[in-house]
Amino acid sequence: MQETGWTQLLYQMAASQTLTLRQAALRLQEDAHIRALRETLAKYAGLPPEDKSALQSFYTQRLLDSSPPGTARASLERKVRMWLGEDVQSISKQGAIQLCFALGLGVEEAGTFLNRTCGEGFHWRDAGELVYLYALEEGLAYPKAQALWETMKEKGLLTGGKGTEAHTALVRQEARQLGSEEALEEYLREHQDQLGAMHNTAYELFRAYLDLLSDPESENEGDKQLSVRKITDTYLHQRFIPRIKKAAKNDKTAEDLVLSALQRSIQQSWPDETTLSKMLNRKIDVSRKALILLFLATDGDTKESLAAQDWYDLEEDLEEEPFEDLYARLDAMLLDCGFAPLDSRAPFDWMVLYCMCARESIFIDGRIQRFLGQIFPPEVRPPVKPKDEPKP
């Protein structure tokens, strides 16, 4: 079956509302058809995904042709061989950017390629990525793009500021009008304080969702704001996710958990209390998984959106198909934030699609917890701790 065929089939399976939780978990475990990176690379190469030898030769030569003189072929062969591994689903963003040049992709096609291979597109507000975008727009070879990147770095133009007021759409509009390296350098110099590696739109929504969850409206005057730990445990389902810690050298009783490829795909980068706090304090960027989980917990609402909604709008919303409406709004939010839309062949995304089919949105969180309980049996879960009650 073709790649698009599997994508559509798995989407229909998730949205059918005919599978019980146990059946859904078993179907995902036995018939997930997880998209390997090799399939995406095969699509862009115009080669069959099962012909690993042809793919190995194609990408090794493309990388060699677009690399600086003297690059060792053997090192590129090892890199490509790793990318074509059975369980490899994504690569680093830098590796994906290099492949965009090797494949001769334009800016728009390169953005789609990045979404598929590393989970997010180009970030136009990132000064370093802006250099690569300029190079793609101008049709420069990868070595030239790297040299330009190094030049801008040496001039101190890639550090950027906090960029808390600039948004991607404006930067993108301005940056696409640059027509020379001199204009690029001038733009980076003049807008250095407005550029930054963090996703501003994602962060604003992240904060808005957290604000709504941490300060729920209640008639009880004794209710307090929820802590980050409570939000993580309640809405990000942390207690269901195994935390793999490397065994101490002399600790013979401690062992690494061995998870299946499907379990690893769901578990990987699942936000915990520490990472959520770091995102909140802008020490690390907001992750796609955290944003999706918070969107589901709030139904994509914020205090501002709820305050602006009148009863007429609410009645109209109730008349819409709940799943289709939620699915469309979630995809639109992800794209606005620079992340890849939902992909039915990614296990976490399939789980999200399935759980979104709850008859009412208030039941989605419970459905996710029961689904995770099927995917991660008790023996691989962390010990259950007493729930953290808000401090008086």
Side-chain angles (χ1 to χ4, degrees), residues 208-260:
Y209 296 152
L210 279 182
D211 285 346
L212 184 62
L213 294 174
S214 66
D215 190 20
E217 294 183 1
S218 174
E219 296 178 358
N220 300 322
E221 294 182 1
D223 285 353
K224 303 295 181 182
Q225 288 193 343
L226 299 182
S227 64
V228 171
R229 179 180 175 185
K230 183 70 173 180
I231 291 174
T232 307
D233 187 58
T234 304
Y235 299 108
L236 273 63
H237 322 294
Q238 181 177 346
R239 65 184 183 276
F240 293 91
I241 306 300
R243 295 296 163 189
I244 303 176
K245 294 183 179 180
K246 194 169 183 179
K249 185 175 182 180
N250 298 321
D251 186 356
K252 296 182 180 180
T253 61
E255 295 181 356
D256 287 354
L257 291 175
V258 178
L259 302 178
S260 68

Side-chain angles (χ1 to χ4, degrees), residues 8-29:
Q8 186 62 27
L9 177 63
L10 287 163
Y11 168 82
Q12 292 172 349
M13 191 186 302
S16 66
Q17 301 187 26
T18 60
L19 299 177
T20 66
L21 278 164
R22 179 169 176 78
Q23 289 172 335
L26 288 174
R27 182 59 62 89
L28 187 58
Q29 289 169 329

Side-chain angles (χ1 to χ4, degrees), residues 51-90:
D51 194 344
K52 294 180 68 173
S53 177
L55 288 169
Q56 176 76 45
S57 299
F58 176 89
Y59 278 100
T60 299
Q61 190 59 50
R62 284 298 183 99
L63 288 174
L64 191 62
D65 292 343
S66 62
S67 296
T71 301
R73 184 184 185 92
S75 67
L76 297 179
E77 287 178 338
R78 286 193 297 271
K79 180 183 290 187
V80 174
R81 192 176 300 113
M82 179 185 67
W83 288 344
L84 298 178
E86 296 297 328
D87 293 337
V88 179
Q89 298 172 42
S90 62

Side-chain angles (χ1 to χ4, degrees), residues 24-290:
L26 288 174
R27 182 59 62 89
L28 187 58
Q29 289 169 329
E30 298 172 358
D31 200 25
H33 296 286
I34 300 172
R35 181 188 292 103
L37 175 65
R38 185 178 71 252
E39 292 184 56
T40 301
L41 296 183
K43 176 183 177 181
Y44 280 84
L47 294 168
E50 60 273 12
D51 194 344
K52 294 180 68 173
S53 177
L55 288 169
Q56 176 76 45
S57 299
F58 176 89
Y59 278 100
T60 299
Q61 190 59 50
R62 284 298 183 99
L63 288 174
L64 191 62
D65 292 343
S66 62
S67 296
T71 301
R73 184 184 185 92
S75 67
L76 297 179
E77 287 178 338
R78 286 193 297 271
K79 180 183 290 187
V80 174
R81 192 176 300 113
M82 179 185 67
W83 288 344
L84 298 178
E86 296 297 328
D87 293 337
V88 179
Q89 298 172 42
S90 62
I91 56 177
S92 69
K93 195 168 189 179
Q94 189 58 44
I97 289 174
Q98 183 179 4
L99 281 174
C100 290
F101 284 91
L103 290 167
L105 303 181
V107 169
E108 299 301 330
E109 195 175 10
T112 302
F113 181 80
L114 288 188
N115 270 331
R116 182 56 59 86
T117 54
C118 63
E120 64 173 283
F122 277 108
H123 188 200
W124 286 80
R125 284 186 46 259
D126 185 303
E129 291 188 25
L130 199 55
V131 173
Y132 287 115
L133 282 160
Y134 166 81
L136 284 171
E137 191 84 70
E138 296 298 314
L140 304 181
Y142 186 63
K144 177 63 175 176
Q146 280 188 303
L148 183 59
W149 189 93
E150 290 292 344
T151 298
M152 298 303 171
K153 181 182 179 183
E154 290 173 2
K155 293 181 178 182
L157 299 178
L158 301 188
T159 54
K162 293 183 178 180
T164 54
E165 297 180 359
H167 287 270
T168 298
L170 177 61
V171 174
R172 178 172 182 156
Q173 180 181 358
E174 295 172 345
R176 296 207 74 166
Q177 298 175 9
L178 302 175
S180 67
E181 293 181 17
E182 292 74 19
L184 172 64
E185 179 177 342
E186 183 179 358
Y187 184 85
L188 293 177
R189 196 178 301 280
E190 291 182 356
H191 295 81
Q192 195 166 18
D193 290 340
Q194 299 174 22
L195 301 175
M198 301 289 191
H199 289 81
N200 278 351
T201 302
Y203 181 73
E204 288 178 0
L205 288 171
F206 173 82
R207 281 297 305 265
Y209 296 152
L210 279 182
D211 285 346
L212 184 62
L213 294 174
S214 66
D215 190 20
E217 294 183 1
S218 174
E219 296 178 358
N220 300 322
E221 294 182 1
D223 285 353
K224 303 295 181 182
Q225 288 193 343
L226 299 182
S227 64
V228 171
R229 179 180 175 185
K230 183 70 173 180
I231 291 174
T232 307
D233 187 58
T234 304
Y235 299 108
L236 273 63
H237 322 294
Q238 181 177 346
R239 65 184 183 276
F240 293 91
I241 306 300
R243 295 296 163 189
I244 303 176
K245 294 183 179 180
K246 194 169 183 179
K249 185 175 182 180
N250 298 321
D251 186 356
K252 296 182 180 180
T253 61
E255 295 181 356
D256 287 354
L257 291 175
V258 178
L259 302 178
S260 68
L262 181 143
Q263 289 173 322
R264 288 198 307 272
S265 179
I266 293 178
Q267 182 264 357
Q268 186 178 30
S269 302
W270 193 284
D272 58 15
E273 179 186 355
T274 301
T275 56
L276 202 71
S277 295
K278 288 182 178 179
M279 291 175 195
L280 187 59
N281 294 310
R282 304 221 80 172
K283 293 181 179 178
I284 60 174
D285 206 0
V286 174
S287 73
R288 181 178 181 272
K289 279 187 178 178

